[in-house]
Amino acid sequence: MLISLDWLKQYVDIKEDIKELENTLTMIGQEVEAIEEQGKELAKVVIGQITEYGKHPEAEKLTLLKVNIGEEEELQIVCGAPNHKLGDKVVVATIGAVLPGDFKIKKSKIRGVESQGMLCSEVELGLGNDGDGIIILPEDAPLGVEYRVYKKLNDVIFELEITPNRPDCLSYIGIAREIAAYYGRKIKCPEFESKKIIESINTGHIDVRIEDKERCKRFSGKVIKNIKVQESPEWLKNRLISMGLKPINNVVDATNYILFECNQPLHAYDLTKINDRKIIVRKSLNGEKIVTLDGVERELNKGELIIADAEKPLGIAGIMGGESSKVTEETTEIFLECAYFTPENIRKTSKELGLSSDSSYRFERGLDIENTAEVLERAADLISQLTGGEVLEGCIDKYIEKYEKIEIPLNIEKLRKFMGKNIEIDVVGKILTNLGINIKTLNSTTIIATPPSYRGDLTRTADLYEEIIRMYGFDNIENKMPEENIRPGVKDSMTVVVDEAKEILAKLGLQEVINYSFISKDAIKMLGITEPTLEITNPISDDMAVMRPTLIYSLLSNVRDNLNRNQNGLRFFEVSRVFTPKEDGLANETLRTSIALAGKTFKTLWDPKPEAMDFYTLKGFVEKFLEYMGVTRYQLDRSEDNNFHPGRSADIRIGKVKIGTFGEIHPELAENMDIKRERAYVAELDLTTLLNYRAKKVKYERIVKYPEVTRDLAVVLDRDVLVGKMLEDIKKSSNLIESVAIFDVYQGEKIEADKKSVAISIVLRKKDGTLEESDINITVDKILKLIAKNYNGEIRQ
C-alpha cells in the first residue's frame, strides 16, 4: 500500500519527521517497507524568467539568453530548444544540480560562449515524454521558487505492508485513524454537501434488484445528472499518480480517489447504457460473456456474481466493470454504485478468472458494510464538484443482512498479567476510545468493548490485548521474566521412539533422508498396491496426489536420483509415518522404519576393491537395528511380496505377526523405477507394531568364566530347506548351546544335484562348570537326531 505524506496530512495533523513517523507506523503494526522522497533529483532546479533573448553568435539554431531566477545576478544560458521567447517563465537547472540519469549541471562553454545552467524539458527532469521543447510555465509562476515545490513534487511516499486482517488500513483514513489513535489527535474527515436537485431518485430513474442475497449483502446507489466528463484537475491527477494509477477522466478518477481515501470501491455506470434502467445483482448464466474494462472478453461458466441490466452483464461484481456501460466523454448522467460483496465469493471468482484489481484486493479482505451509504454521499459530492453535475435526492440502499455489533469483555487484571505491566484502567480506556472502540464499565476490573464496524478483526479479548499493547508501545513494556514455575516439557513417547530409532540407524552408518508424505497415483500402481489409499482432494501436483502407504517408493526414488548423479555406496534410512484410510474418512497413521542400500562398500587404502552390498549386508543392518531396539525373538521366512526378488528376500515375523520385509527389489520394479546401474536392497519395518515386542527390561548376565567348546558339523540337506529355521531349532534344543552360525554352504559335483552341504559352527558352554566330553557328545547327538528327523539331513561323509 502506497501512502503519500502530503495526501495523508489532509486527514490528520503530522508534526513528526520522516524517520520518527516511519518508526511509529512500524511499531503500531503498519510496517514500512520503503520510503521514496520524491523530487530529490530536482534540487537546485528553480523557476526563472527570460529577460534577454538573442541568437548565439556561432550557431543559428542556438539562442543566447539572460534568465532571472530571483537573485541579484542574472544567469547567461545557451539554449537549443525552439519554443521559448522573451518574457517566458521557464524551468532552470542551476550549476550543481544533478538531474535524473546522473546528469550533472556544470558551468561550460557551448560554441565558445559560457553557459551558466540549462533550461529543462519534461524528459530531462524525468517527468514526462515531451522532449521537443522546454517547459513553459504560466505567467503567475513564482520567480526563484524550486520547481519541485511549485509542482508539489517534493512529496514523501511510504510503502506499507498491510497485514490481511487489517483491510481498514488499505486507505488514507484508515492510516490516519492509526496515527491519530497513537498520538491522541483528531481525525479530519472530509466534509461534503452535494449539489442536489429536487427530483427524487425513486421516480423511475433506476430500479435495483438483488437476486443473489447470499453473496451481495448490501447494494447502494445514487444518480448524478448533467455531468461533463473531461480531464481531471491537476491536484486529482497528482494524487492518483502518487498511488501508481493513470488518470482517465474526472468521474473515474473520483471513484479511484475515494477508493484510496475511504477503502470502499465504487463503480460509475453510464445510465443511458443500462437497458430498461434496471440493475440486477445475480449469478452469471453458463456461457455468458462480458468484455471487461481491460478490453478482454471473458466467458462466465461457474455462476460468477455479476451486475447486469435487463439484457446483459455490466460488470463482474467487486472485481471489474464492463466496457458496455463505461463512462466516456459523451456520458451525461451516471449511476454510482457502492456495495458489499462477501470476501469468499470475490476470492474464488478472482482466482478462477485470473483477474485481480484494487477493488477485488479490498473486497477479498472484507470491507465495512456500514459505510457504503456515507461513502456514496462523499463520492457523489466530489463528482458533482468535478463535473458540475446534479445529484438526485435520495439513495437506493438495499441492505440485506444488517451488521450486528459485538461486545467483548476485558478484565484489567488479566491484561496486566499478560502484559507484565501495571497499566491503569484509565489508560486502557483512553487507548480503546482513541481507536474508535466504544467502552462501558462493568465493574472496577472489567469493561465491555464494542469495536466499530470497520474493525472486523476484533472478535475476542486477545485481540483487544494486541490493540492495547501496540498503542501503549512495546518500548514502554520492560523486559521481565514471568514469575511462574515453568517445568520443562516432556517428550511424547512416540517422539522418544522416533529419536531412538534415528540415532541407532545413524550410528550403524546410515544416512537419514526426509521425503514428502505424498506420492503419485502412478507410484501406487507401480508397487502393485490394491488396498484403499488416502487420496488428496486438491493436490499441489500429480506427483503429490496420494498420502503414501509405504516408505519404499520414496527411498527407491532417492536411490535412483543419487545413482543418476554418479553417487555410489548408498546407505539411506527414513523414519516416518505412512497413511491408510479409516472408515470414518480420516487417516490411520503408522510409524515405519525403512532402509535402502545400493552400490559398493566404501573403498579404503587397504581394501582398494570394495565389494557390492548384497542381501546379507542389508540383513546385518536389520538384525543390528532389531537388537538395539530390544527385539530378539523373531524368525525370518521367505517373502512372497511381489515387490521383492523371490529367494533374495525375507519377512520378519514374531509368532504369526509380520513386522517387516527386507531384501533385493524385484528386477521389474527396478526397471520401472529406472534403477539400472546397481542392485537395490530395501527393508521396511512396522515400528508401531515392533514396539509391542520390545524387551521391557534388559537383563544383565555375568560373564561366564568357564571355557567354550566349538563343534563344526557339515550337514547335507535338500536344496530347498530353509536353514534359518533349522538354526533356531538347534539353538533351542539344549541350554548348553551358546550360539549357532553357518560358515559355509557347498553345492557341486561331490554331492547330489538336489542337495547342499551346510557347514555349521556350534559354540557350547556350561555356566556353572567345565564341560565334560559326555555332555558334548549327548548334545551333538541330540542335534543330529533333530536334523535328521525334522529336516531329513545327515552328516556329510
Side-chain angles (χ1 to χ4, degrees), residues 27 39 41 48 161 189 243 280 362 373 398 439 444 463 473 483 551 626 682 727 752 764:
M27 293 306 292
E41 294 176 313
E161 179 65 35
C189 290
M243 299 304 294
I280 305 168
R362 286 160 174 77
K398 305 286 184 178
I439 61 171
S444 59
D463 297 329
E483 298 176 357
L551 305 181
L626 291 172
V682 175
L727 298 182
E752 296 177 40
L764 300 101

Side-chain angles (χ1 to χ4, degrees), residues 270-316:
D270 188 325
L271 193 56
T272 62
K273 297 175 183 177
I274 301 175
N275 283 75
D276 293 345
R277 298 210 167 201
K278 287 184 178 179
I279 290 286
I280 305 168
V281 185
R282 62 173 174 83
K283 71 176 182 178
S284 63
L285 305 176
N286 194 34
E288 208 164 13
K289 295 181 180 179
I290 180 174
V291 178
T292 46
L293 287 172
D294 56 3
V296 178
E297 183 179 70
R298 304 179 188 277
E299 186 171 329
L300 309 174
N301 290 309
K302 296 186 178 180
E304 295 88 349
L305 187 67
I306 62 169
I307 313 298
D309 60 17
E311 293 183 358
K312 62 185 182 302
L314 300 176
I316 302 171

Side-chain angles (χ1 to χ4, degrees), residues 190-403:
E191 298 178 358
F192 51 87
E193 184 179 350
S194 301
K195 180 182 177 183
K196 295 185 174 66
I197 60 178
I198 299 174
E199 190 177 358
S200 171
I201 194 173
N202 296 317
T203 55
H205 286 280
I206 191 75
D207 177 34
V208 175
R209 186 168 76 250
I210 300 177
E211 291 184 356
D212 195 328
K213 294 180 173 60
E214 290 298 317
R215 295 188 284 179
C216 178
K217 301 298 184 182
R218 191 174 187 183
F219 192 97
S220 309
K222 292 187 79 69
V223 172
I224 307 174
K225 299 178 68 176
N226 303 322
I227 66 170
K228 185 179 181 182
V229 179
Q230 56 189 356
E231 188 177 340
S232 295
E234 200 70 23
W235 70 266
L236 179 54
K237 290 194 288 186
N238 287 341
R239 288 283 185 250
L240 296 182
I241 290 169
S242 72
M243 299 304 294
L245 290 186
K246 180 181 178 182
I248 298 173
N249 58 52
N250 49 5
V251 174
V252 175
D253 293 349
T255 61
N256 285 330
Y257 180 86
I258 299 299
L259 167 72
F260 290 112
E261 179 184 76
C262 303
N263 193 42
Q264 180 62 57
L266 302 111
H267 188 68
Y269 302 87
D270 188 325
L271 193 56
T272 62
K273 297 175 183 177
I274 301 175
N275 283 75
D276 293 345
R277 298 210 167 201
K278 287 184 178 179
I279 290 286
I280 305 168
V281 185
R282 62 173 174 83
K283 71 176 182 178
S284 63
L285 305 176
N286 194 34
E288 208 164 13
K289 295 181 180 179
I290 180 174
V291 178
T292 46
L293 287 172
D294 56 3
V296 178
E297 183 179 70
R298 304 179 188 277
E299 186 171 329
L300 309 174
N301 290 309
K302 296 186 178 180
E304 295 88 349
L305 187 67
I306 62 169
I307 313 298
D309 60 17
E311 293 183 358
K312 62 185 182 302
L314 300 176
I316 302 171
I319 300 177
M320 191 172 287
E323 282 275 355
S324 64
S325 59
K326 75 175 183 179
V327 174
T328 64
E329 291 182 359
E330 289 75 36
T331 302
T332 57
E333 55 182 337
I334 63 169
F335 175 68
L336 187 62
E337 164 214 306
C338 187
Y340 179 89
F341 305 111
T342 56
E344 299 83 4
N345 160 63
I346 302 299
R347 274 196 299 270
K348 182 180 178 182
T349 303
S350 178
K351 184 177 180 181
E352 287 175 346
L353 295 177
L355 180 61
S356 183
S357 64
D358 286 320
S359 296
S360 68
Y361 186 80
R362 286 160 174 77
F363 276 121
E364 286 173 2
R365 285 155 176 76
L367 299 182
D368 181 6
I369 195 170
E370 288 280 275
N371 203 33
T372 59
E374 185 177 347
V375 171
L376 196 60
E377 293 290 347
R378 160 68 173 146
D381 175 58
L382 181 59
I383 292 173
S384 174
Q385 292 178 32
L386 295 172
T387 65
E390 298 171 307
V391 183
L392 266 61
E393 190 71 39
C395 168
I396 289 176
D397 190 13
K398 305 286 184 178
Y399 202 163
I400 306 301
E401 190 174 310
K402 299 283 185 179
Y403 171 76

Side-chain angles (χ1 to χ4, degrees), residues 54 73 95 103 253 330 358 437 489 516 588 605 627 733 745 759 788:
E73 198 172 319
I95 293 169
F103 181 60
D253 293 349
E330 289 75 36
D358 286 320
I437 300 170
Y516 288 114
N588 183 40
L605 181 63
E627 178 186 338
S733 65
V745 177

Side-chain angles (χ1 to χ4, degrees), residues 317-575:
I319 300 177
M320 191 172 287
E323 282 275 355
S324 64
S325 59
K326 75 175 183 179
V327 174
T328 64
E329 291 182 359
E330 289 75 36
T331 302
T332 57
E333 55 182 337
I334 63 169
F335 175 68
L336 187 62
E337 164 214 306
C338 187
Y340 179 89
F341 305 111
T342 56
E344 299 83 4
N345 160 63
I346 302 299
R347 274 196 299 270
K348 182 180 178 182
T349 303
S350 178
K351 184 177 180 181
E352 287 175 346
L353 295 177
L355 180 61
S356 183
S357 64
D358 286 320
S359 296
S360 68
Y361 186 80
R362 286 160 174 77
F363 276 121
E364 286 173 2
R365 285 155 176 76
L367 299 182
D368 181 6
I369 195 170
E370 288 280 275
N371 203 33
T372 59
E374 185 177 347
V375 171
L376 196 60
E377 293 290 347
R378 160 68 173 146
D381 175 58
L382 181 59
I383 292 173
S384 174
Q385 292 178 32
L386 295 172
T387 65
E390 298 171 307
V391 183
L392 266 61
E393 190 71 39
C395 168
I396 289 176
D397 190 13
K398 305 286 184 178
Y399 202 163
I400 306 301
E401 190 174 310
K402 299 283 185 179
Y403 171 76
E404 293 184 8
K405 293 182 179 180
I406 61 170
E407 294 186 339
I408 307 173
L410 177 64
N411 185 283
I412 301 300
E413 290 302 323
K414 289 183 179 179
L415 171 65
R416 289 168 179 164
K417 187 177 181 181
F418 183 83
M419 288 179 66
K421 183 82 176 180
N422 191 25
I423 188 170
E424 296 297 326
I425 190 169
D426 292 343
V427 175
V428 173
K430 186 177 180 181
I431 288 173
L432 295 177
T433 302
N434 288 345
L435 285 166
I437 300 170
N438 291 326
I439 61 171
K440 61 181 179 181
T441 305
L442 195 62
N443 53 50
S444 59
T445 59
T446 305
I447 60 177
I448 300 296
T450 304
S453 57
Y454 56 80
R455 289 302 304 272
D457 59 309
L458 303 181
T459 59
R460 54 184 182 159
T461 305
D463 297 329
L464 297 180
Y465 288 176
E466 181 182 340
E467 295 300 296
I468 294 163
I469 291 169
R470 72 187 182 92
M471 286 298 168
Y472 184 74
F474 293 99
D475 294 342
N476 296 324
I477 301 174
E478 301 87 0
N479 294 327
K480 186 178 178 182
M481 292 297 291
E483 298 176 357
E484 295 187 13
N485 291 326
I486 301 174
R487 297 178 181 178
V490 178
K491 279 187 178 182
D492 174 74
S493 59
M494 289 306 291
T495 303
V496 173
V497 170
V498 170
D499 291 345
E500 182 183 357
K502 288 183 177 182
E503 185 177 0
I504 291 169
L505 292 165
K507 286 181 177 179
L508 289 174
L510 301 170
Q511 292 179 307
E512 183 180 6
V513 294
I514 300 173
N515 292 296
Y516 288 114
S517 295
F518 317 101
I519 57 177
S520 66
K521 290 181 180 179
D522 290 340
I524 297 296
K525 293 178 183 177
M526 194 181 296
L527 295 172
I529 297 173
T530 56
E531 295 81 7
T533 54
L534 202 63
E535 295 188 9
I536 307 298
T537 305
N538 54 340
I540 299 172
S541 68
D542 291 340
D543 291 335
M544 296 186 174
V546 182
M547 300 292 286
R548 59 180 177 175
T550 175
L551 305 181
I552 291 176
Y553 180 81
S554 302
L555 263 75
L556 288 178
S557 298
N558 299 143
V559 168
R560 176 197 61 211
D561 295 342
N562 278 273
L563 289 176
N564 288 343
R565 288 163 177 78
N566 294 320
Q567 298 300 309
N568 213 319
L570 307 178
R571 301 181 180 193
F572 298 147
F573 80 87
E574 183 172 14
V575 180

Side-chain angles (χ1 to χ4, degrees), residues 736-793:
L736 296 180
I737 298 175
E738 188 173 273
S739 65
V740 182
I742 298 173
F743 65 86
D744 187 36
V745 177
Y746 172 74
Q747 292 172 320
E749 297 177 357
K750 296 182 180 180
I751 61 172
E752 296 177 40
D754 58 348
K755 300 286 185 179
K756 61 184 175 184
S757 173
V758 180
I760 304 170
S761 180
I762 304 169
V763 177
L764 300 101
R765 193 196 305 265
K766 206 172 182 180
K767 296 180 180 179
D768 55 357
T770 303
L771 279 169
E772 300 291 339
E773 189 66 30
S774 58
D775 295 330
I776 299 170
N777 293 335
I778 290 170
T779 304
V780 172
D781 288 343
K782 193 174 182 180
I783 292 170
L784 293 175
K785 288 177 182 178
L786 184 149
I787 293 172
K789 181 179 178 182
N790 295 349
Y791 298 96
N792 195 28

Side-chain angles (χ1 to χ4, degrees), residues 629-632 693-700:
M629 288 296 290
V631 178
T632 55
Y693 301 98
R694 294 184 77 179
K696 294 182 179 179
K697 293 182 179 179
V698 178
K699 292 182 179 180
Y700 167 74

